[in-house]
Amino acid sequence: RDSRTDLEYESLSRSARFVLEVELVWVGGECEAVAQVKDIRSGDVPASVRQKVDSLNTASEIDQVSRALVQRLMNHKVA
């Protein structure tokens, strides 16, 4: 890890406990968005959701997928 990563980690760990990570993955010939809540201190992932993505060609399509993932994550109790 370089020093910038350490500084980012220190800053995040003082101000937040969890981060939201989103990535696009290719599974079985289809694109999926995967969102997970990650505990900064322990690295645990207490909640994760996936959603098939048909198209991400416009800002509104990206927003729609993002909102759907966050809504589904909010149904999980993260302690």
Side-chain angles (χ1 to χ4, degrees):
R1 294 177 9 168
D2 67 27
S3 61
R4 288 176 303 189
T5 304
D6 291 338
L7 290 173
E8 289 173 19
Y9 173 79
E10 278 185 43
S11 176
L12 277 174
S13 66
R14 283 192 308 265
S15 60
R17 168 111 187 257
F18 298 100
V19 293
L20 172 66
E21 293 183 341
V22 179
E23 57 188 339
L24 296 175
V25 296
W26 194 255
V27 178
E30 295 181 326
C31 185
E32 290 186 4
V34 179
Q36 51 190 357
V37 175
K38 190 173 192 178
D39 186 313
I40 292 173
R41 295 174 189 129
S42 69
D44 291 340
V45 178
S48 178
V49 294
R50 305 174 80 99
Q51 178 173 319
K52 182 181 167 192
V53 176
D54 294 321
S55 175
L56 290 176
N57 294 319
T58 66
S60 65
E61 290 173 337
I62 294 168
D63 289 344
Q64 182 180 4
V65 169
S66 299
R67 282 191 303 274
L69 289 170
V70 169
Q71 287 174 346
R72 290 179 55 208
L73 279 170
M74 289 178 69
N75 290 326
H76 293 272
K77 184 173 183 166
V78 177

